[in-house]
Amino acid sequence: MSSESTLLFSIQASPAGLSLAELMARHPNVARRTAQRQIAQLIAAGQIVARGEGRARRYWGVASDGQASAKTADADIYSHLIPLSADSQDILAYIEQPTQRRKPVGYQRDFLEAYRPNESWYLSEPLRRQLHKMGRTAAVDEPAGTYSRAILNRLLIDLSWASSHLEGNTYSRLDTRKLIEQGQAARGKAALETQMILNHKAAIELLVENIDSAEFNRYTLMNLHSALAENLLPNPADEGRIRQHAVDISQSVYRPLSTPQQIEDALDVLLAKANAIRDPFEQSFFMMVHLPYLQPFADINKRTSRLAANLPLFRANLCPLTFLDVPEQVYSRATLGVYEMTRVELLRDLYVWAYERSTQEYLAIKQDLAEPDPLRLAWRDLIKQTIREVVVAPERDPLSSIQRAVTERVPQEAQTDVQALIVEELRRLHEGVLARYGLRPSDYAAWKAIHSTH
């Protein structure tokens, strides 16, 4: 059998389609360039179809009636994974049409204006009750953020990995863990992928560490976007700033607002409504719906919405929404349903399924979670401030600086233990945790140049 026939057979035998990477894994003896050429020939011959862009691009065989089996495959993905309402099936049927058959549409301000916090509901009362039951933790009556701090190490890995995966990032979960815990970038991966995961980590830490004061306002949203966007946008000035130009949505007939003043006005309304919502799940889902729909930033809007959707859950000590195992094509179609139809049912069904998946993961491990170190918790501000002061003044002796800070601020009976904590924290310092201390890579590089030889 020729390599072209082999590739065709594999694609036809895969109901969910195959990406180029998956094909290469199945057929390591076929050169990548050869496979790309043969795939192009198969597409030109009408034997397979392609959908998606970049790393998310997948290939399906064509049925005998000439119709792509991709639609059936997408429907199968939903039916096998996610229980769909009749309304959701209607949305999926419309979004599955070629773009030329879908009606071009712009931003509908009425969609936002019609929502009345605590009177309008995207999530019905029975659904909210179900979500609360699924996500309840033992820390529900503790101070805001207790649970998210307790699971922070695990959360940083899962949410950074899963959210990045929805953007086509090819880091594995293990690679992500090594990067976050050890500062070790995966070999053979693009710098963009490494940066994306480190940015997620910094953004999650920003939310968890500021949970007492964070709310849905411009400060929180802009800084969240800035953390996620660092070093990833063509124009660095767009990090944490309202979009100044028009944008197109790939594979969509939706055109967002293009005038900065209109975007700013709509964002103010969006944030005011979000802040007024009392139920944490309704608040979370509202951000998942309206932030990407408005597209307030030049890029990285969906990533921002996924992390923003966790803020109410962190605050209420509920299980996080990590997006573990959410297929990219399912998520993108649900989002298109909001963009092109201002319909939320498909995204709602995905949200409920994804949250159940997340809670199964986290409630299963809650008994194994280590309790936060009370001393580290009590002195976390001093620890961070001291680490920052030590690193930004590399010419000073680190131990002397730590001793001085501890002597001035800590009662004598706790000084030895707190000093040991700070020294240990400094010893473990690496590029993946710099945002925690308000440090830049350049600060760390300058400090390391002096002290790595000591």
Side-chain angles (χ1 to χ4, degrees), residues 26-278:
R26 293 188 183 195
H27 305 287
N29 294 329
V30 180
R32 186 182 184 90
R33 198 174 289 273
T34 300
Q36 290 172 322
R37 185 183 72 252
Q38 292 175 344
I39 287 171
Q41 292 170 347
L42 291 169
I43 292 173
Q47 293 180 277
I48 65 173
V49 294
R51 291 195 173 190
E53 299 294 332
R55 296 186 184 89
R57 191 171 181 83
R58 300 182 75 80
Y59 305 97
W60 282 268
V62 173
S64 58
D65 61 358
Q67 297 298 311
S69 58
K71 287 187 182 180
T72 304
D74 287 334
D76 285 347
I77 290 170
Y78 277 100
S79 62
H80 290 156
L81 286 179
I82 305 166
L84 289 187
S85 64
D87 286 335
S88 293
Q89 291 171 351
D90 289 343
I91 295 169
L92 185 59
Y94 178 78
I95 294 301
E96 282 298 316
Q97 298 180 102
T99 52
Q100 59 267 28
R101 294 182 60 185
R102 296 177 348 230
K103 180 183 176 182
V105 61
Y107 182 82
Q108 306 295 305
R109 181 70 181 253
D110 289 348
F111 180 41
L112 176 62
E113 295 287 358
Y115 186 91
R116 297 285 182 267
N118 310 309
E119 296 176 19
S120 307
W121 298 101
Y122 289 149
L123 303 173
S124 67
E125 195 277 334
L127 260 187
R128 298 196 307 276
R129 192 166 60 241
Q130 176 189 347
L131 289 164
H132 277 279
K133 185 177 180 180
M134 287 192 298
R136 184 181 176 88
T137 71
V140 69
D141 296 321
E142 298 296 323
T146 298
Y147 184 73
S148 57
R149 289 190 182 105
I151 62 168
L152 182 58
N153 291 342
R154 177 70 177 268
L155 177 65
L156 289 172
I157 295 165
D158 288 348
L159 184 50
S160 296
W161 173 70
S163 181
S164 297
H165 188 68
L166 286 173
E167 301 301 323
N169 195 300
T170 63
Y171 258 72
S172 69
R173 203 168 175 179
L174 179 59
D175 288 338
T176 302
R177 179 176 181 173
K178 288 180 178 178
L179 176 62
I180 287 176
E181 292 185 346
Q182 303 167 22
Q184 180 181 331
R187 297 178 64 180
K189 301 296 184 184
L192 179 147
E193 294 184 290
T194 303
Q195 184 77 57
M196 185 188 296
I197 289 173
L198 290 176
N199 287 1
H200 272 86
K201 177 181 182 294
I204 296 164
E205 288 177 332
L206 178 72
L207 285 181
V208 172
E209 291 168 10
N210 294 281
I211 203 70
D212 296 332
S213 58
E215 58 181 23
F216 287 126
N217 54 28
R218 285 208 181 199
Y219 177 84
T220 298
L221 193 65
M222 299 307 183
N223 280 277
L224 183 60
H225 180 265
S226 177
L228 285 166
E230 183 179 0
N231 205 24
L232 291 180
L233 297 180
N235 182 1
D238 286 332
E239 296 172 10
R241 187 181 72 166
I242 296 296
R243 173 164 53 86
Q244 302 294 304
H245 52 78
V247 293
D248 290 329
I249 307 295
S250 176
Q251 305 296 307
S252 179
V253 294
Y254 171 59
R255 296 295 176 265
L257 292 172
S258 57
T259 306
Q261 188 58 54
Q262 290 180 319
I263 297 170
E264 298 223 16
D265 292 345
L267 181 60
D268 287 340
V269 173
L270 187 163
L271 291 171
K273 288 180 183 281
N275 252 337
I277 298 170
R278 289 191 289 269

Side-chain angles (χ1 to χ4, degrees), residues 396-416:
R396 297 178 186 167
D397 176 58
L399 189 57
S400 299
S401 297
I402 293 170
Q403 287 174 333
R404 182 170 58 255
V406 170
T407 301
E408 292 174 355
R409 299 273 301 277
V410 180
Q412 187 171 2
E413 63 273 14
Q415 286 180 4
T416 300

Side-chain angles (χ1 to χ4, degrees), residues 229-367:
E230 183 179 0
N231 205 24
L232 291 180
L233 297 180
N235 182 1
D238 286 332
E239 296 172 10
R241 187 181 72 166
I242 296 296
R243 173 164 53 86
Q244 302 294 304
H245 52 78
V247 293
D248 290 329
I249 307 295
S250 176
Q251 305 296 307
S252 179
V253 294
Y254 171 59
R255 296 295 176 265
L257 292 172
S258 57
T259 306
Q261 188 58 54
Q262 290 180 319
I263 297 170
E264 298 223 16
D265 292 345
L267 181 60
D268 287 340
V269 173
L270 187 163
L271 291 171
K273 288 180 183 281
N275 252 337
I277 298 170
R278 289 191 289 269
D279 183 87
F281 288 105
E282 180 74 12
Q283 194 178 41
S284 169
F285 186 65
F286 179 88
M287 293 301 288
M288 283 272 292
V289 169
H290 280 282
L291 194 63
Y293 181 61
L294 178 58
Q295 293 279 306
F297 303 111
D299 197 1
I300 310 183
N301 292 281
K302 293 199 295 294
R303 269 167 266 180
T304 305
S305 76
R306 291 194 290 270
L307 266 61
N310 269 292
L311 174 56
L313 310 183
F314 292 168
R315 201 159 41 201
N317 288 318
L318 292 159
C319 273
L321 174 60
T322 59
F323 302 91
L324 287 169
D325 299 330
V326 173
E328 185 277 333
Q329 64 268 37
V330 177
Y331 177 73
S332 64
R333 281 156 179 71
T335 307
L336 287 177
V338 176
Y339 291 172
E340 299 187 17
M341 305 172 74
T342 60
R343 295 271 301 274
V344 305
E345 295 92 339
L346 188 52
L347 186 61
R348 176 202 63 201
D349 289 350
L350 175 60
Y351 180 93
V352 174
W353 177 86
Y355 191 68
E356 183 176 17
R357 175 71 186 84
S358 294
T359 60
Q360 289 170 349
E361 187 85 11
Y362 276 80
L363 294 180
I365 65 166
K366 69 178 182 181
Q367 299 301 327

